[in-house]
Amino acid sequence: MYLTMFLSSVGFSIVIMSVWPYLQKIDPTADASFLGWIIASYSIGQMVASPLFGLWSNYRPRREPLVISTAISVAANCLYAYVHVPHAHNKYYMLTARALVGFGAGNVAVVRSYIAGATSLTERTSAMANTSACQAVGFILGPVFQTCFTLIGEEGVTWKFLCLQLNMYTTPVLFGALLGVINIILIFAIFREHRVDDMGRQYKSINSDGEGSDVLDQNTEEGSIDHVAVVALNILFFVILFVFAVFETIATPLTMDMYSWTRKEAVFYNGIILSVIGIESVIVFMVVKTLSKKTGERAILHAGLLIVLVGFFILLPWGKKLPNIQWQEIKNNSIPRTAPSEMLAPYWSLPELQLPANHTAEPVGCPVTQSWCLNTPMIYLAQYISSDVLIGLGYPVCNVMSYTLYSKVLGPKPQGVYMGWLTASGSGARILGPVFVSQIYTHLGPRWAFSLICGVVVVSLLLLEVVYKRLIAFSVRYGRMQEENC
């Protein structure tokens, strides 16, 4: 299951950097807004599929949804490799391929529900942390593989009898398909069903429809799930993934606006920063396994949200220094970044500042079309780096603790459907996060965007306080175990 999570995340991230140039190559009619739909289609597919695969795993052997979902991802990756073949509407074929890859990734709910059912309460946090660590390593290594495949080049090799182009855009997805095939083989060869109660005693049945249910099954499953706690954790998980999606989305435009980085510099430097954050996350996943045994998951979740809040609060613009305005940068590259009075020049003076048609320099700085650039202080690089470090610390803590608490609240009953809803709420957050930040940041600026994010995190902290005492394990709630043991 750890390997399934790793291969699934590699299959997603291995193409994410090349989607835009490949889209421009195969279909010149596609614009940046359509790219947004292609990126979002993965999360939409996952959001739809997660509850379905979760329900399936509740009543049938989990091998079935795991194999079918992985096979869908393999087929979708092969479709992506052939989106250049049709003579028209290529962008819609790419959209379909990415949506199907996301649909296949709905097996995350099956993986998490299996791990929840195969571990005792004392093992749960460690297992969930390992799962998230494997997923994070996959997201880190995906772009690394993509970078290696760029050596093939845009033209690459063409196999005419297969109508297949092996280039820097198609080879990564075919590699992802190969990983999927290996995953299916391993599921058949190695995977076995296993289910225990909260105290680690093995069940005879592997799901709620299994035969041979004994007294242990009946006794340990008595009692109802605390649905208030379930809904609260879904909301908290949505917020956690929402703010991290905002953080990922805002990184490139923010650094281009504030530090006058070119597109290439922004992608390169932010790629390095995100890689470091990924490594930081893996370390955090390992540390929380030990820390949770001393303090408990609820306290760590609370601390994680506070760290994320501080991270976004640091990003609020302070001081008097304004960012470099893009149109003045074009007119005179020697203009300083400190805000002189002429930066407030009227808009009617803009037409005379246009570059000549034969000028090839990429305009840099904060575009004057974003009116807030003229009066919002810049965010210093030290602020940005400090925020990166804090969010990279707080996000993995919140991610693991919310999954762990959720699985403990649900108890020993099969968790496929509930894990599906949790995964779906996270997918919804990854869809809405980029839409929110693109609108608020572009029209109102970073001060409004990050203030609203801080407000959302504060509300989630208040929600956590309200339900704090309800976030206890199912077995503890019904007096079958002592809280200090789980």
Side-chain angles (χ1 to χ4, degrees):
M1 291 297 94
Y2 292 158
L3 191 61
T4 299
M5 290 293 281
F6 171 78
L7 295 178
S8 176
S9 59
V10 168
F12 165 72
S13 62
I14 200 170
V15 299
I16 202 67
M17 290 196 304
S18 63
V19 168
W20 178 231
Y22 189 37
L23 178 62
Q24 289 178 306
K25 181 181 180 181
I26 64 168
D27 196 334
T29 64
D31 56 14
S33 63
F34 196 84
L35 172 68
W37 281 108
I38 288 179
I39 299 297
S41 65
Y42 177 92
S43 295
I44 294 172
Q46 189 180 48
M47 183 171 64
V48 171
S50 296
L52 299 178
F53 286 132
L55 181 64
W56 188 352
S57 72
N58 272 7
Y59 295 98
R60 296 288 301 167
R62 292 187 179 91
R63 182 181 279 111
E64 293 177 8
L66 286 172
V67 169
I68 295 300
S69 60
T70 308
I72 290 172
S73 293
V74 170
N77 278 323
C78 293
L79 172 62
Y80 187 94
Y82 279 95
V83 293
H84 65 280
V85 174
H87 298 293
H89 308 302
N90 305 73
K91 61 184 181 182
Y92 296 109
Y93 288 104
M94 181 182 282
L95 180 73
T96 303
R98 290 304 295 168
L100 286 173
V101 171
F103 193 90
N107 63 12
V108 169
V110 182
V111 173
R112 298 251 184 212
S113 67
Y114 172 83
I115 291 170
T119 55
S120 66
L121 287 186
T122 54
E123 299 168 326
R124 190 78 47 82
T125 303
S126 178
M128 287 294 182
N130 290 340
T131 307
S132 296
C134 290
Q135 193 174 27
V137 171
F139 281 124
I140 295 168
L141 292 182
V144 174
F145 291 139
Q146 166 76 78
T147 303
C148 295
F149 286 125
T150 57
L151 298 175
I152 300 174
E154 280 198 313
E155 298 304 321
V157 179
T158 302
W159 291 351
K160 292 185 179 179
F161 67 98
L162 292 175
C163 295
L164 179 63
Q165 291 181 357
L166 288 178
N167 54 35
M168 61 182 283
Y169 303 123
T170 60
T171 309
V173 293
L174 293 173
F175 180 68
L178 175 62
L179 293 178
V181 171
I182 293 172
N183 196 8
I184 291 173
I185 294 171
L186 291 173
I187 290 171
F188 278 115
I190 297 175
F191 178 77
R192 66 184 180 88
E193 298 286 354
H194 182 71
R195 186 175 169 222
V196 298
D197 68 357
D198 284 351
M199 288 164 277
R201 296 176 299 183
Q202 190 162 354
Y203 282 100
K204 289 184 179 179
S205 61
I206 58 172
N207 51 38
S208 60
D209 201 32
E211 296 180 358
S213 296
D214 57 6
V215 177
L216 174 62
D217 290 12
Q218 296 167 11
N219 289 342
T220 54
E221 290 190 7
E222 284 180 358
S224 59
I225 295 170
D226 186 349
H227 286 95
V228 173
V230 168
V231 171
L233 283 168
N234 269 279
I235 294 171
L236 289 171
F237 189 69
F238 177 91
V239 170
I240 291 161
L241 265 70
F242 179 84
V243 297
F244 192 73
V246 166
F247 169 71
E248 284 184 309
T249 306
I250 203 67
T252 298
L254 179 71
T255 51
M256 290 175 68
D257 291 346
M258 294 295 163
Y259 315 124
S260 297
W261 289 354
T262 62
R263 287 190 295 270
K264 184 177 180 180
E265 288 172 338
V267 171
F268 178 73
Y269 293 137
N270 282 304
I272 293 174
I273 290 170
L274 286 175
S275 297
V276 172
I277 289 174
I279 295 169
E280 178 190 7
S281 297
V282 173
I283 296 170
V284 171
F285 288 137
M286 297 299 103
V287 171
V288 295
K289 292 196 295 184
T290 305
L291 192 60
S292 64
K293 295 176 182 177
K294 298 179 180 179
T295 62
E297 288 88 2
R298 293 177 297 179
I300 295 178
L301 177 58
H302 197 280
L305 284 170
L306 283 173
I307 292 171
V308 170
L309 175 61
V310 173
F312 276 99
F313 184 78
I314 287 175
L315 274 178
L316 291 172
W318 305 100
K320 298 180 179 179
K321 190 175 182 181
L322 299 183
N324 208 5
I325 304 299
Q326 190 176 105
W327 56 264
Q328 285 206 328
E329 179 85 357
I330 295 170
K331 182 181 179 183
N332 183 0
N333 287 331
S334 65
I335 288 184
R337 298 191 180 208
T338 318
S341 59
E342 56 266 25
M343 269 191 162
L344 303 177
Y347 288 107
W348 56 79
S349 64
L350 298 183
E352 62 190 72
L353 301 174
Q354 298 292 326
L355 278 174
N358 61 353
H359 200 292
T360 58
E362 178 185 337
V364 294
C366 200
V368 74
T369 51
Q370 296 176 165
S371 58
W372 57 264
C373 292
L374 297 171
N375 51 39
T376 301
M378 74 176 291
I379 297 168
Y380 293 93
L381 186 59
Q383 285 178 265
Y384 179 66
I385 298 297
S386 300
S387 175
D388 288 343
V389 171
L390 289 171
I391 294 171
L393 175 63
Y395 168 72
V397 168
C398 295
N399 184 289
V400 174
M401 291 304 106
S402 53
Y403 265 122
T404 304
L405 284 168
Y406 192 69
S407 67
K408 289 186 175 183
V409 166
L410 292 176
K413 298 180 181 181
Q415 300 182 5
V417 173
Y418 284 100
M419 281 294 178
W421 287 120
L422 190 69
T423 304
S425 69
S427 299
R430 287 198 299 271
I431 296 167
L432 294 178
V435 174
F436 164 85
V437 75
S438 62
Q439 296 298 316
I440 301 298
Y441 177 82
T442 302
H443 296 102
L444 300 176
R447 182 171 281 162
W448 271 97
F450 299 139
S451 295
L452 288 172
I453 291 296
C454 288
V456 169
V457 178
V458 168
V459 171
S460 67
L461 280 165
L462 293 174
L463 174 62
L464 179 58
E465 287 294 327
V466 171
V467 299
Y468 195 86
K469 292 183 179 179
R470 304 184 77 131
L471 303 183
I472 55 175
F474 184 92
S475 296
V476 174
R477 184 167 174 241
Y478 287 100
R480 301 191 188 113
M481 290 183 70
Q482 296 297 317
E483 190 164 5
E484 58 266 23
N485 296 328
C486 55

